[in-house]
Amino acid sequence: MPQPPPSAASQRPGRLAQFGATIFGEMSALAGATGSINLGQGFPDTDGPSWILAEASRAILDGRGNQYPPALGIPELRQAIADHQQSYYGLRFDPGSEVLVTVGATEAIAAAILGLTEPGDEVVVFEPYYDSYAACVALAGATRRAVTLRPEAGRWSFDPAELEAAITPRTRVVLLNSPHNPTGTVFSRGELEAIARLARERDLLVVSDEVYEHLVFDGEHIPIASLPGMAERTVTISSAGKTFSVTGWKVGWACARPGLLEKVRSVKQFLTYVGSGPFQHAIAAALRSEPNYYREFAANLQGKRDLLTEGLLKQGFSTLVPQATYFATIDLGPGGRGQEWCRALPHQAGVVAIPARVFYDSDVDRYVRFAFCKQDEVLREALRRLERLG
Ligand code: PMP
Ligand code: GLN
């Protein structure tokens, strides 16, 4: 049947026209279509502890959370989040007015950027950056300014002068992510202090994405909200997905002083209103895990990091050993073409990776990201396949 021509209205580009599909879905689909090992999208291939999974099933069957939960999130979870922030970082948040449960960290980031900026404002990000940041800034009608992280002395870091230069009278928010995806860097106290000093001097807000807070192998995770004068200007965001290996549950949260949190909540209520009902109950219980759980989880992941990075180095790839997260990045060199390389890789080797080009505003295409949150045997098989590249 002949189709009528599209209406002029349907042809208008919309705010995210230039973004296209997220790389993660595209590369996971490519892995499926080619039967490749998927070291692209960052999700573990082993689900979280079975007692946490059982808590969620029980919540559903007991009728807890099957109907709309409270707008801020269930009180048990807000209390558990506040207790977690206090016991790990000495940060005090009132569960009644300073903690908001969201649909993953993704929604918290979107609501924070939409709630804290106005069209024409500027948001500073550190590139390479997690892909939703650029889309959220564009949705808000704001402009992003990227400060580049570069490998230096064994880890990725930024030049404080470049950060200072990126801040203008229109800058409203610094969007920070530590531990950092994709580089695996953990911002040091000195780096955080440099950001905090500028935030205080220029009266900026900080949105701090800390979803990898418990996936740290070397170094220490320091929430920027814990630095002097920062609690009142920071929205701290995290999520259960990585910490408890349940990325599909989408339980996230934002913590901030009441005036700031209210701005985030006012957006969140119209994005989803609420979400993840029964899973909120399970995560309230999960956050009461013994400190040992977090230590053993990180130690297990560190073994996977070592397995992958040692294998890559042995094969002659250039890679820095990441301090944290799920990810290791290889450097194809100054003329490297990561996007092309990643599109060919499933066909040539049966492995999927992510071209870091999609995380940059600058024209940087030499880096490729591999996820190592997979069973050891899967990582070994991926390495055997990569070896065939020769
Ligand atoms: N921030 C970063 C840096 C991430 O890598 C991810 C992806 N897992 C998210 C936020 C999104 O977290 P969630 O799945 O909880 O929405
Ligand atoms: N955070 C995960 C990654 O960086 C994927 C999240 C997503 O698919 N949006 O790979």
Side-chain angles (χ1 to χ4, degrees), residues 24 40-42 130 181 212 242 327 369:
F24 302 117
Q41 191 176 26
Y130 182 53
N181 174 11
Y212 297 101
K242 314 295 184 304
F327 308 113
R369 189 194 84 175

Side-chain angles (χ1 to χ4, degrees), residues 59-346:
I60 293 173
L61 295 174
D62 293 352
R64 288 179 289 132
N66 293 328
Q67 307 307 328
Y68 299 131
L72 290 178
I74 62 165
E76 299 90 324
L77 177 54
R78 283 184 277 129
Q79 184 70 55
I81 292 164
D83 291 347
H84 170 276
Q85 298 298 70
Q86 160 88 57
S87 65
Y88 282 89
Y89 311 117
L91 287 171
R92 284 177 179 274
F93 292 104
D94 168 15
S97 61
E98 299 184 325
V99 178
L100 173 70
V101 177
T102 56
V103 181
T106 304
E107 187 191 36
I109 294 160
I113 297 300
L114 287 164
L116 300 177
T117 63
E118 289 172 20
D121 285 348
E122 291 180 0
V123 176
V124 170
V125 294
F126 293 87
E127 69 174 7
Y129 53 74
Y130 182 53
D131 74 338
S132 85
Y133 296 177
C136 290
V137 172
L139 279 174
T143 304
R144 67 182 181 276
R145 284 192 176 253
V147 175
T148 306
L149 296 172
R150 296 189 185 85
E152 208 185 276
R155 59 188 284 282
W156 295 69
S157 186
F158 65 93
D159 177 349
E162 279 184 36
L163 172 62
E164 190 150 6
I167 294 170
T168 77
R170 311 199 79 143
T171 309
R172 177 101 173 115
V173 170
V174 177
L175 176 45
L176 174 67
N177 171 217
S178 178
H180 183 260
N181 174 11
T183 65
T185 224
V186 179
F187 282 52
S188 67
R189 188 173 289 277
E191 287 165 336
L192 294 171
E193 271 169 359
I195 298 165
R197 181 180 56 78
L198 283 167
R200 287 187 305 259
E201 282 173 13
R202 311 287 182 93
D203 194 18
L204 309 177
L205 301 172
V206 174
V207 174
S208 182
D209 174 353
E210 304 180 9
V211 300
Y212 297 101
E213 62 186 312
H214 286 292
L215 283 61
V216 175
F217 323 122
D218 309 315
E220 181 197 3
H221 171 61
I222 302 168
I224 195 164
S226 67
L227 299 188
M230 292 308 291
E232 55 266 38
R233 57 178 73 251
T234 301
V235 178
T236 303
I237 290 172
S238 194
S239 154
K242 314 295 184 304
T243 300
F244 300 111
S245 299
V246 287
T247 61
W249 287 12
K250 299 297 282 190
V251 179
W253 49 87
C255 300
R257 292 292 168 253
L260 271 184
L261 195 73
E262 177 51 26
K263 293 195 166 73
V264 183
R265 190 198 62 83
S266 67
V267 175
K268 183 262 176 332
Q269 68 185 343
F270 294 120
L271 291 177
T272 57
Y273 180 47
V274 291
S276 318
F279 299 122
Q280 291 195 29
H281 289 272
I283 297 304
L287 279 171
R288 306 250 176 241
S289 296
E290 294 299 316
N292 239 358
Y293 164 75
Y294 301 97
R295 271 198 295 273
E296 279 168 20
F297 177 63
N300 178 266
L301 204 54
Q302 179 170 351
K304 297 177 186 301
R305 173 200 71 174
D306 294 343
L307 199 167
L308 182 70
T309 51
E310 280 163 21
L312 289 170
L313 285 167
K314 223 177 265 167
Q315 290 182 32
F317 288 106
S318 161
T319 182
L320 293 182
V321 178
Q323 296 171 274
T325 76
Y326 281 163
F327 308 113
T329 295
I330 60 165
D331 181 2
L332 301 178
R337 308 236 295 236
Q339 296 196 94
E340 228 168 78
W341 197 85
C342 286
R343 294 213 188 292
L345 193 63

